[in-house]
Amino acid sequence: MTIKKILGNGAPVKIWTDEVDQSTLDQLSDLSELPFIHKHVAVMPDVHAGIGSAIGSVIPTKGAIIPAAVGVDIGCGMMAVKTSLKASMLPDNLYELRSEIEKRIPHGRTSNGGSGDRGAWSNPIERIAYYWNMFLSDEYEEITTKHPKAKGYNTISHLGTLGTGKHFIEICIDESDYVWAMLHSGSRGVGNRIGSYFIEKAKEEMERYFILNNLPNKDLAYLVEHTEIYDDYVNAVSWAQEFAEFNRQVMMDIVLKCMSEFFPSFTITDKAINCHHNYVAREHHFGASVLVTRKGAIRARKGDLGIIPGSMGAKSYIVEGLGNDESFHSCSHGAGRRLGRNEAKMIYTVADLAEQTKGIECPKDESKIDEIPAAYKDIDQVMGNQNDLVKIKHTLKQVLNVKG
């Protein structure tokens, strides 16, 4: 399903859904007017309004990059592992397993993110120190020495932590009754700081060249290729994406360790899938080398495995890419929000949350109402709209959910 739209006087916009609100269309129209868009903008079926550009947009650019389109949750993505466990081997009550995962992986946010924040390590475990010192610390020092204002307060203390809001850890059952571990998180506070800093630097660059006031939206401020600040940003984004990938790997190691203590005999049967859905990459499309920004989209080249989660009360999917050229080899990153967080809190109650997550071991309190399944689009409709982008390999239904 592809709906081609010409929005304003810009590049074509190709949309894989007919359900798009006006504010999202306005953002897509503004984006399409930028002169360095390559061929067209591809819009996934879970699209909804964001900051700078719509979430669910795939933006190929030649000669420039838009930091706000990449966003501040750089490298946010998913990881999933299939195990040899069968559903029949799980106990009827998974509360103890959920509690153990919650004890071992920092999640949420307290103390306004300051001292004693439950979402950060007070004393990082040995595995985290190894990843940080071996793979991340030296390059981060180079980046922040040159750009001190890009330095975050939580660096190693956020490696291997879940975060808040939409981020989660789940135990799921597939169509053959095999048990999977799955999680969703990104580059945490350190990536947020890098993203926020370079978004402002892009605006400063636009102002310096008298371009800012001529942009359709100031959040579309960009950095121009072959400039030092562009190179510095691409380098910093690449580092944050690496941090995010390690972040997910550390958490998955902990989740599997927890599971092994409850179920000593299980093994991992499939290669782990670890994929970004907020990131930028150099790729070749329609005869040109371009930067592809996927803001709420995953890469779906032919044969690529990816993860498309629904809400905390719906199904999720392991998919295989079909390599659709028109989508720049991309697909959706989830169901996509139907309601804003504040709107969901005004409409629904704790009782509604409990009803919509019946049978799932998960937190069911007021703080999680904004993540209620009804706040999200119908994942089956989203999947139906992109059957030319991916094919379904596995259908997962969660039985345990840990929310940030």
Side-chain angles (χ1 to χ4, degrees), residues 75 79 127-128 130-137 158-161 183 185-187 238-253 274 276:
M79 186 171 184
R127 183 184 292 107
I128 290 167
Y130 169 77
Y131 279 124
W132 177 259
N133 293 324
M134 181 63 67
F135 301 106
L136 296 167
S137 61
H158 268 180
L159 185 58
T161 68
L183 57 83
S185 192
S187 54
S238 176
W239 181 91
Q241 290 171 186
E242 187 176 14
F243 180 101
E245 194 167 350
F246 280 126
N247 183 44
R248 291 190 290 273
Q249 183 63 63
V250 171
M251 285 191 287
M252 184 60 76
D253 289 346
N274 195 344
H276 300 313

Side-chain angles (χ1 to χ4, degrees), residues 18 23 26 33 54 90 96 148 176 186 192 215 224 234 247 277 281 288 323 332 335 347 357 365 379 384:
D18 56 3
S23 61
D26 290 344
E33 291 178 18
L90 298 178
E96 288 187 16
S176 300
N192 186 298
L215 290 173
V224 178
V234 170
N247 183 44
H277 54 226
S332 83
I347 294 173
T357 58
D365 56 60
I379 186 64

Side-chain angles (χ1 to χ4, degrees), residues 15-40:
I15 307 177
W16 270 258
T17 178
D18 56 3
E19 297 180 16
V20 191
D21 61 48
Q22 191 58 50
S23 61
T24 303
L25 288 173
D26 290 344
Q27 285 193 331
L28 293 169
S29 177
D30 288 346
L31 179 66
S32 73
E33 291 178 18
L34 295 174
F36 46 82
I37 298 294
H38 176 62
K39 300 298 285 187
H40 60 269

Side-chain angles (χ1 to χ4, degrees), residues 87-218:
S88 60
M89 301 168 71
L90 298 178
D92 292 337
N93 191 324
L94 291 169
Y95 175 77
E96 288 187 16
L97 178 57
R98 175 166 75 94
S99 297
E100 196 60 33
I101 294 171
E102 289 174 340
K103 285 177 189 174
R104 297 196 193 186
I105 297 179
H107 60 286
R109 188 170 187 258
T110 56
S111 305
N112 203 27
S115 178
D117 176 21
R118 78 171 196 184
W121 297 100
S122 57
N123 186 22
I125 60 178
E126 185 177 343
R127 183 184 292 107
I128 290 167
Y130 169 77
Y131 279 124
W132 177 259
N133 293 324
M134 181 63 67
F135 301 106
L136 296 167
S137 61
D138 288 349
E139 190 174 356
Y140 185 67
E141 184 65 27
E142 291 176 12
I143 292 167
T144 55
T145 296
K146 188 170 184 180
H147 297 279
K149 292 182 179 179
K151 188 167 187 174
Y153 298 105
N154 288 306
T155 52
I156 187 173
S157 64
H158 268 180
L159 185 58
T161 68
L162 186 61
T164 60
K166 60 190 176 181
H167 297 144
F168 63 79
I169 299 166
E170 288 185 341
I171 305 300
C172 306
I173 310 296
D174 73 9
E175 70 288 345
S176 300
D177 283 338
Y178 280 103
V179 176
W180 292 65
M182 184 169 75
L183 57 83
H184 173 205
S185 192
S187 54
R188 303 288 284 111
V190 66
N192 186 298
R193 187 70 193 129
I194 286 170
S196 298
Y197 169 77
F198 281 100
I199 287 170
E200 292 308 309
K201 292 299 288 185
K203 290 177 180 177
E204 289 176 14
E205 287 291 288
M206 295 292 93
E207 199 160 31
R208 186 156 71 97
Y209 290 104
F210 305 102
I211 296 173
L212 188 63
N213 291 331
N214 295 323
L215 290 173
N217 183 330
K218 291 183 180 180

